[in-house]
């Protein structure tokens, strides 16, 4: 847990440092980066909701623990995303996307069963993989230096979550 906290703290510091660093891109609108900021923010909201659900509804201890980690880390990451979006005049949605909400509703249908944990882990693995691909695309093609920097800083946190979730999947399959 200490390593995860260090990664989260380093991510936030790097993201905040990127926000305050002067550059030619600092005041530039992030029109080509706005979709990334919007998607990442909605992803953070969805992960916070999924984490809270796991803490409350999961049967396996590792799923509950992973849920708590997601709530903590995505809450911290979203602070940086919201600050960056505000600086770049990008309006963010107040809720997860309809696809994310449908996935959460489908997961909730299994509350109280072992299928909940399995579904949660499968969904979270897929989400991590999609998020990493989105981050990699942004760092390769994004136009705003601060947005690219924030994406680079968030990548190790998301990758660590994927490792955590895969390890939990392996533990629950052995049980």
């Amino acid at each position: 847990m200490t390593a995860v906290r260090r990664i989260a703290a380093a991510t936030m510091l790097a993201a905040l440092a990127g926000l305050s660093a002067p550059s030619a891109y600092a005041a530039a609108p992030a029109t080509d980066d706005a979709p990334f900021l919007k998607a990442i923010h909605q992803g953070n909201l969805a992960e916070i909701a999924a984490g809270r659900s796991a803490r409350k509804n999961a049967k396996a201890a590792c799923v509950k623990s992973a849920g708590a980690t997601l709530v903590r880390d995505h809450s911290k990451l979203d602070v940086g995303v919201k600050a960056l979006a505000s600086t770049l005049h990008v309006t963010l949605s107040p809720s997860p996307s309809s696809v994310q909400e449908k996935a959460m509703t489908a997961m909730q249908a299994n509350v109280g069963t072992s299928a909940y944990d399995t579904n949660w882990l499968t969904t979270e693995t897929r989400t991590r993989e999609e998020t990493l691909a989105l981050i990699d695309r942004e760092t390769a093609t994004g136009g705003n230096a601060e947005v690219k920097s924030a994406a680079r800083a968030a990548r190790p946190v998301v990758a660590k979550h994927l490792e955590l979730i895969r390890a939990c999947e392996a533990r629950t399959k052995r049980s």
Side-chain angles (χ1 to χ4, degrees), residues 2-105:
T2 304
V4 172
R5 287 183 187 173
R6 285 186 192 143
I7 290 169
T11 300
M12 287 308 300
L13 288 174
L16 293 174
L19 289 175
S20 63
S23 78
Y25 298 103
T31 53
D32 58 339
D33 299 293
F36 172 78
L37 289 171
K38 291 176 181 183
I40 289 298
H41 171 67
Q42 286 184 303
N44 284 334
L45 295 177
E47 294 311 323
I48 292 164
R52 287 181 178 145
S53 177
R55 286 189 328 197
K56 179 181 176 185
N57 299 310
K59 293 199 175 286
C62 68
V63 175
K64 288 180 180 281
S65 177
T69 299
L70 293 183
V71 170
R72 183 192 64 233
D73 292 352
H74 284 281
S75 294
K76 289 178 184 177
L77 287 171
D78 206 44
V79 168
V81 170
K82 288 191 283 191
L84 185 54
S86 176
T87 300
L88 298 172
H89 309 292
V90 173
T91 303
L92 300 175
S93 173
S95 60
S97 72
S98 61
V99 170
Q100 292 161 331
E101 288 178 348
K102 285 178 187 173
M104 181 60 77
T105 300

Side-chain angles (χ1 to χ4, degrees), residues 57 105-117 119:
N57 299 310
T105 300
M107 201 180 317
Q108 294 299 324
N110 294 315
V111 167
T113 71
S114 60
Y116 175 88
D117 289 7
N119 187 356

